[in-house]
């Protein structure tokens, strides 16, 4: 065999086995930080080179556009070839490619358009209204979830039967929704995969063609596949195909999106695969962090099993801090970040991870107050911004006059004096005549026909004019001609930012390389929609990263703070009644731990303000699952097992007699109560008491300390942080 050292150099023994495997299908169990991307890309290059395959004979499926681009770039670099035409992409982008190529066989118009989640929900809202249903009893979001769930199971409305009146109405809307999308040439995200699956399963000629074409199929993040994605892969592989899947059952955290961790065990059965090949050597984290992750995840029963290890022998204990409140928790985190940053760690290398988005507020507040730059990961992405979606709607309507969703988004934006009643009349006419809104305009009465007709004329004019323009020129023209630029120039408050985004859109289009030279606009519209749903951030600024644990998957940082580690919060209260749900929460904790490279902090608050009520917050079971010898407790609050803490503001402490009493302790580092002269009379202060300071304002006593000579109190003041005060001279008073 020819020497391919240039491809295989730098692989460890298990990575080498995975890359060069040549005996049917294989499941690779790739632990966090084990180099799975390197394995996947190297294998694609190795297959093409050693088995003399064409670049179109390998299909590689990922879950994000970012991962697909990275794979294409790496493979292109390894093979020194143009990788643009390879079949590498997300499930949605590959399905779209199939449907574009075979739209007639799929029963779709050539110019069919993809609608995003928001547009899907808007369409469902109109159908609910059309059926005369109460929108409060039958919310669009609920029916949207129902429709998408059924599609993910591979089920059309005609295959379903209602269980009760409620599901009967849901099914009616599903039927109307299918009819409306088919009539208007619209496809939602789930439909992309379902329609392509149906295309292959109902067309033996096409199926055989692609089964023969794809000699090898590779799948990334296999643990995140849902029912429909699994069926889609299974039919493409067929009886003789080879599939190479990389995944980690310990990182399966998307069951709420339909992901089925059980697909990994089904893989072994359905594809006649041998025992999984395990990638257990970690190149990311220090030993202590890996040992903690292994210890936590070992408590799950439903796992295939692996043990992460590293050559990095550096040992640094995991830091645990147990604050009295969420304010105390946040203040500690920001204090540590400040110190880390002063010691040379870039803010972008620091992440705060939380279970729920609502937890970000207090950290945002404290970061802002301390002058530290931060970024809430997962905000509105470029293609989701209002002004961008307006431009895209104009483009969609120009490409496809049957696109009612796009029509409604821009018919009166910028304002053209078209009222709600006119729109309602237009929709009624469209429904009665079974014609798109654009065509229904000519049947409007009187002045309405003239007003809306001017908009139709505008669209038709733009449709004609852009035929001679390049894609960037067409975008600029539409921004100007539609009135969007003038509209945002008049917006004093937000206009400048929105105009910058419009200009950036032109720049983005300029760098867009369309494969279909005859229909670049159609291809760009599909690209924009697919980009808008990508889960990965594009640019991590030099700022502290705030995000949910779900959003952190696939990322890594030098320093990670996992906050809110309390029963009911992490693990989430909704999961506590079901073992399967608790195990998913534990996998989520495993993901959180393994995001850290060098330093890991675990934090919880003994009490937390939830729904306007301060409640006791026992420590998360996941903290208790980490061996004590791996943890350095920085809080002074003993780690109390979940379910054992009753009074949030009074953790177990040693009790001593205090100054002013008849007896004094010889010495003590910590005390429970203090009786001192705060005014003209002696007043007892204890841990948990509220006090007021002339300079710092109102605060809570966190700790009391005595060295035998003086008594000091550690007090947390809102907005000022913690202060250590000498109780004999401090200007404080007790708040009753």
């Amino acid at each position: 065999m020819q020497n391919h050292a240039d491809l295989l150099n730098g692989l460890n023994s298990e990575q080498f086995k995975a890359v060069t495997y040549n005996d049917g299908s294989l499941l690779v169990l790739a632990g966090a930080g084990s180099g799975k991307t390197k394995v996947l890309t190297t294998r694609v290059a190795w297959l093409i080179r050693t088995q003399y395959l064409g670049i179109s004979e390998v299909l590689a499926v990922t879950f994000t556009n970012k991962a697909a681009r990275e794979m294409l770039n790496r493979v292109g670099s390894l093979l020194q070839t143009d990788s643009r035409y390879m079949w590498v992409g997300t499930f949605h982008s590959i399905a779209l490619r199939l449907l574009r190529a075979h739209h007639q066989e799929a029963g779709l118009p050539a110019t069919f358009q993809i609608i995003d989640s928001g547009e899907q929900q808007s369409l469902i809202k109109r159908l609910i209204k059309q059926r005369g249903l109460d929108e409060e009893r039958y919310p669009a979001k609920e029916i949207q979830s129902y429709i998408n769930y059924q599609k993910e199971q591979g089920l059309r409305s005609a295959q379903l039967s209602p269980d009760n009146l409620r599901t009967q109405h849901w099914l009616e809307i599903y039927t109307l929704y299918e009819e409306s999308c088919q009539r208007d040439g619209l496809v939602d995200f789930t439909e992309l995969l379902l329609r392509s699956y149906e295309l292959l399963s109902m067309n033996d000629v096409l199926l055989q063609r692609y089964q023969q074409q794809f000699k090898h199929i590779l799948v990334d993040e296999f643990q995140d596949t849902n029912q429909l994605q699994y069926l889609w892969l299974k039919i493409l592989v067929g009886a003789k195909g080879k599939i190479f899947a990389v995944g980690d059952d310990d990182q399966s955290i998307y069951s709420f999106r339909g992901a089925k961790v059980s697909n990994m065990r089904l893989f072994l059965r359905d594809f006649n695969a041998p025992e999984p090949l395990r990638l257990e050597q970690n190149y990311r984290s220090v030993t202590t962090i890996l040992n903690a992750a292994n210890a936590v995840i070992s408590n799950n029963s439903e796992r295939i099993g692996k043990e992460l290890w590293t050559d990095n022998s550096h040992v640094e204990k995991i830091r645990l801090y147990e604050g009295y409140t969420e304010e105390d928790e946040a203040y500690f985190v920001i204090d540590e970040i400040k110190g880390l940053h002063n010691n040379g760690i870039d803010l972008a290398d620091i992440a705060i991870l939380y279970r729920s988005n609502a937890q970000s507020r207090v950290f945002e507040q404290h970061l802002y107050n301390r002058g530290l730059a931060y970024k809430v990961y997962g905000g509105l992405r470029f293609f989701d911004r209002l002004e961008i979606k307006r431009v895209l709607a104009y483009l969609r309507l120009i490409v496809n006059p049957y696109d009612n969703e796009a029509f409604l988004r821009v018919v009166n934006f910028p304002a053209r004096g078209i009222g709600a009643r006119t729109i309602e009349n237009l929709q009624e006419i469209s429904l009665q005549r079974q014609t798109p809104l654009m065509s229904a305009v000519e049947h409007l009465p009187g002045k309405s026909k003239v007003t809306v007709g001017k908009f139709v004329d505008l669209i038709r004019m733009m449709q004609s004019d852009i035929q001679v323009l390049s894609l960037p020129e067409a975008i600029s023209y539409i921004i100007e001609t539609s009135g969007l630029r003038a509209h945002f120039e008049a917006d004093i408050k937000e206009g400048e930012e929105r105009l910058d985004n419009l200009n950036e859109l032109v720049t983005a289009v300029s760098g867009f390389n369309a494969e279909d030279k005859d229909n670049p606009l159609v291809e760009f519209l599909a690209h924009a929609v697919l980009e808008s749903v990508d889960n990965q951030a594009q640019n991590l600024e030099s700022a502290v990263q705030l995000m949910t644990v779900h959003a952190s998957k696939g990322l890594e940082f030098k320093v990670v703070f996992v906050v809110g580690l309390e029963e009911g919060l992490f693990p989430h209260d909704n999961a506590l009644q079901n073992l399967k749900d608790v195990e998913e929460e534990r996998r989520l904790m495993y993901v959180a731990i393994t995001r850290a490279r060098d330093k890991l902090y675990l934090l919880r608050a003994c009490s937390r303000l939830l729904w306007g009520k301060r409640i006791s917050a026992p420590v998360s079971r996941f903290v208790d699952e980490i061996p004590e010898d791996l943890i350095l407790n920085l809080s002074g609050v003993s780690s109390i097992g979940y379910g054992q803490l009753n009074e949030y503001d009074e953790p177990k402490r040693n009790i001593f007699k205090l100054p002013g009493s008849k007896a004094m302790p010889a010495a003590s580092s910590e005390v429970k109560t203090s009786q001192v002269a705060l005014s003209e009379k002696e007043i007892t202060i204890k841990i948990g008491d509220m006090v007021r300071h002339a300079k710092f304002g109102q605060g809570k006593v966190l700790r009391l300390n005595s060295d035998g000579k003086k008594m000091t109190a550690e007090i947390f003041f809102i907005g000022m942080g913690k202060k250590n005060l000498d109780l004999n001279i401090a200007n404080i008073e007790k708040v009753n």
Side-chain angles (χ1 to χ4, degrees):
M1 185 176 73
Q2 184 183 348
N3 186 0
H4 301 287
D6 60 319
L7 288 180
L8 304 175
N9 279 341
L11 299 177
N12 66 38
S13 61
E14 297 307 300
Q15 290 173 336
F16 180 90
K17 290 177 187 176
V19 168
T20 59
Y21 184 80
N22 199 28
D23 190 21
S25 297
L26 181 68
L27 175 64
V28 178
L29 206 61
S34 63
K36 69 176 180 67
T37 303
K38 182 179 183 179
V39 166
L40 272 168
T41 53
T42 307
R43 179 163 175 81
V44 171
W46 186 85
L47 285 170
I48 291 172
R49 187 188 288 183
T50 63
Q51 300 195 17
Y52 308 102
L53 301 178
I55 59 173
S56 64
E57 293 181 293
V58 176
L59 170 66
V61 188
T62 68
F63 270 85
T64 68
N65 292 308
K66 181 183 177 184
R69 285 193 297 269
E70 186 178 356
M71 188 176 292
L72 282 169
N73 291 335
R74 287 200 192 186
V75 171
S77 178
L78 287 170
L79 295 176
Q80 296 295 300
T81 188
D82 188 351
S83 60
R84 283 181 299 168
Y85 301 105
M86 291 186 65
W87 283 78
V88 176
T90 64
F91 280 99
H92 290 119
S93 67
I94 298 295
L96 173 64
R97 188 168 174 178
L98 287 170
L99 293 178
R100 288 284 184 222
H102 308 286
H103 64 89
Q104 285 185 319
E105 295 96 326
L108 290 168
T111 57
F112 73 84
Q113 294 298 304
I114 308 170
I115 58 173
D116 63 21
S117 180
E119 291 163 329
Q120 182 189 29
Q121 195 173 127
S122 296
L123 173 55
I124 292 168
K125 279 182 180 177
R126 290 199 300 278
L127 296 173
I128 291 169
K129 193 172 183 179
Q130 178 186 315
R131 285 293 298 165
L133 298 175
D134 185 342
E135 292 182 59
E136 290 190 4
R137 288 190 63 198
Y138 294 93
K141 195 171 183 179
E142 188 176 72
I143 297 177
Q144 181 184 29
S145 297
Y146 167 79
I147 291 172
N148 290 339
Y149 174 79
Q150 300 303 337
K151 285 189 176 187
E152 286 173 355
Q153 304 309 304
L155 298 172
R156 295 290 186 188
S157 61
Q159 298 169 272
L160 298 168
S161 300
D163 298 322
N164 49 48
L165 182 61
R166 188 169 190 81
T167 54
Q168 181 181 325
H169 288 313
W170 287 358
L171 188 52
E172 288 171 356
I173 299 298
Y174 185 10
T175 304
L176 290 171
Y177 175 79
E178 285 184 311
E179 292 171 354
S180 181
C181 287
Q182 186 63 37
R183 183 178 65 247
D184 299 339
L186 303 177
V187 176
D188 61 50
F189 291 117
T190 314
E191 182 71 19
L192 283 172
L193 203 62
L194 179 55
R195 188 69 69 111
S196 67
Y197 172 72
E198 292 172 341
L199 171 70
L200 295 171
S201 60
M202 297 179 185
N203 193 316
D204 288 340
V205 175
L206 269 182
L207 178 61
Q208 288 175 22
R209 168 186 161 180
Y210 285 107
Q211 284 178 342
Q212 290 170 7
Q213 177 178 326
F214 301 135
K215 303 294 192 299
H216 289 268
I217 296 176
L218 299 90
V219 189
D220 193 13
E221 304 286 4
F222 193 79
Q223 77 281 348
D224 293 335
T225 54
N226 62 26
Q227 171 89 352
L228 182 57
Q229 289 162 342
Y230 185 83
L231 292 173
W232 186 85
L233 287 167
K234 192 175 176 181
I235 197 172
L236 260 179
V237 173
K240 299 180 180 179
K242 296 178 181 179
I243 181 168
F244 180 94
V246 178
D248 184 0
D249 57 336
D250 291 334
Q251 295 190 74
S252 180
I253 59 173
Y254 295 122
S255 64
F256 64 95
R257 294 183 187 170
K260 298 179 69 174
V261 67
S262 58
N263 284 347
M264 297 194 72
R265 292 192 180 278
L266 285 177
F267 180 100
L268 300 174
R269 184 196 71 187
D270 292 345
F271 299 107
N272 196 29
E275 179 73 12
L277 195 156
R278 291 168 170 81
L279 303 183
E280 297 175 304
Q281 184 174 359
N282 179 282
Y283 294 92
R284 176 187 301 162
S285 306
V286 299
T287 299
T288 313
I289 292 170
L290 296 182
N291 289 345
N294 288 331
V296 170
I297 202 63
S298 68
N299 290 278
N300 272 7
S301 59
E302 297 295 322
R303 58 191 297 257
I304 300 173
K306 66 180 183 309
E307 190 89 0
L308 296 179
W309 62 275
T310 180
D311 281 336
N312 187 342
S313 59
H314 178 73
V315 176
E316 186 167 343
K317 287 194 173 186
I318 296 164
R319 292 158 172 82
L320 172 68
Y321 183 79
E322 301 176 273
Y324 282 85
T325 67
E326 67 271 26
E327 293 282 345
D328 188 22
E329 178 189 46
Y331 196 87
F332 175 86
V333 170
I334 278 61
D335 238 15
E336 286 292 306
I337 290 174
K338 196 87 173 176
L340 291 164
H341 187 49
N342 290 339
N343 286 326
I345 294 181
D346 195 297
L347 291 180
D349 284 327
I350 302 172
I352 302 172
L353 309 185
Y354 36 78
R355 179 64 178 83
S356 169
N357 270 311
Q359 293 170 254
S360 77
R361 182 200 60 81
V362 67
F363 295 99
E364 290 185 62
Q365 178 185 319
H366 283 274
L367 286 163
Y368 176 80
N369 290 343
R370 299 289 293 276
L372 291 168
Y374 69 91
K375 177 182 177 182
V376 180
Y377 189 99
L380 280 178
R381 298 171 184 82
F382 183 77
F383 288 110
D384 289 330
R385 294 168 190 170
L386 173 68
E387 58 277 15
I388 303 300
K389 290 183 84 70
R390 299 290 189 192
V391 178
L392 296 180
Y394 275 105
L395 293 171
R396 284 170 45 187
L397 195 56
I398 288 167
V399 168
N400 178 18
Y402 293 89
D403 192 337
N404 288 341
E405 289 296 309
F407 182 98
L408 291 169
R409 187 180 284 273
V410 295
V411 65
N412 199 41
F413 193 93
R416 299 183 175 89
I418 302 171
R421 184 59 190 157
T422 298
I423 299 298
E424 287 176 8
N425 289 341
L426 186 62
Q427 288 177 295
E428 289 173 9
I429 294 168
S430 172
L431 185 63
Q432 290 169 2
R433 293 179 172 269
Q434 291 293 293
T435 188
L437 294 171
M438 197 91 150
S439 303
V441 173
E442 63 180 286
H443 301 288
L444 279 170
K447 189 179 177 181
S448 295
K449 180 179 178 179
V450 176
T451 307
V452 186
K454 289 180 180 177
F455 170 73
V456 173
D457 291 339
L458 174 68
I459 296 298
R460 287 171 177 164
M461 179 188 75
M462 291 194 293
Q463 196 176 38
S464 173
D465 289 351
I466 68 168
Q467 299 301 314
V468 296
L469 302 176
S470 68
L471 194 52
E473 291 169 343
I475 302 294
S476 296
Y477 166 85
I478 288 163
I479 291 170
E480 297 287 347
T481 309
S482 65
L484 287 172
R485 183 174 294 281
H487 173 83
F488 291 119
E489 282 176 345
D491 185 348
I492 300 172
K493 189 177 180 180
E494 299 179 345
E496 185 175 347
E497 182 180 348
R498 296 191 185 279
L499 286 168
D500 287 343
N501 286 331
L502 291 178
N503 290 332
E504 184 59 28
L505 177 63
V506 178
T507 303
V509 171
S510 300
F512 179 70
N513 189 10
E515 292 182 13
D516 186 354
K517 304 302 180 184
D518 295 326
N519 291 291
L521 184 51
V522 171
E523 191 173 329
F524 176 73
L525 286 169
H527 161 78
V529 177
L530 292 172
E531 280 286 312
S532 74
V533 296
D534 202 331
N535 288 329
Q536 303 300 322
Q538 299 304 306
N539 297 299
L540 293 179
E541 300 169 6
S542 186
V544 180
Q545 306 295 308
L546 277 68
M547 67 191 74
T548 64
V549 182
H550 280 101
S552 75
K553 190 170 177 290
L555 304 177
E556 58 181 78
F557 306 90
K558 281 186 180 179
V559 184
V560 169
F561 295 84
V562 185
V563 301
L565 284 166
E566 302 131 34
E567 288 291 300
L569 188 56
F570 196 2
H572 197 277
D573 189 57
N574 294 338
L576 296 181
Q577 304 306 313
N578 187 303
L579 177 61
K580 190 173 283 187
D581 292 340
V582 171
E583 294 209 344
E584 175 141 339
E585 291 287 300
R586 187 172 283 110
R587 293 195 292 270
L588 196 59
M589 181 65 177
Y590 176 85
V591 168
I593 292 171
T594 54
R595 297 313 93 197
R597 296 203 299 268
D598 301 333
K599 295 181 185 290
L600 175 64
Y601 291 79
L602 306 177
L603 299 102
R604 68 108 171 191
C606 295
S607 78
R608 189 172 297 274
L609 198 62
L610 296 173
W611 310 289
K613 183 182 178 182
R614 187 159 293 282
I615 64 170
S616 171
V619 68
S620 168
R621 66 188 70 193
F622 303 146
V623 174
D624 282 346
E625 289 171 359
I626 299 173
E628 288 186 10
D629 62 339
L630 301 179
I631 291 178
L632 175 65
N633 196 326
L634 303 177
S635 56
V637 179
S638 301
S639 181
I640 303 169
Y642 64 93
Q644 297 179 10
L645 188 63
N646 297 316
E647 298 295 328
Y648 72 80
D649 59 352
E650 294 189 358
K652 301 298 182 184
R653 303 283 186 163
N654 293 325
I655 299 175
F656 298 89
K657 291 182 179 180
L658 305 166
S661 64
K662 292 181 179 179
M664 282 273 296
S668 174
S669 61
E670 191 167 328
V671 295
K672 180 70 175 180
T673 61
S674 176
Q675 192 171 356
V676 295
L678 297 180
S679 59
E680 295 182 356
K681 60 180 181 179
E682 293 189 337
I683 299 174
T684 299
I685 293 178
K686 63 181 185 296
I687 292 172
D689 279 349
M690 298 300 296
V691 297
R692 186 177 289 109
H693 187 274
K695 180 181 178 181
F696 304 128
Q698 190 165 296
K700 176 175 275 189
V701 179
L702 302 181
R703 294 180 186 86
L704 294 165
N705 298 288
S706 173
D707 62 3
K709 295 179 181 180
K710 68 177 181 179
M711 178 68 66
T712 61
E714 186 176 74
I715 303 172
F716 180 82
F717 296 95
I718 297 172
M720 302 297 295
K722 288 185 291 186
K723 306 292 180 182
N724 281 301
L725 303 177
D726 187 333
L727 293 179
N728 291 307
I729 61 173
N731 185 17
I732 62 174
E733 61 180 352
K734 189 174 179 181
V735 178
N736 295 322

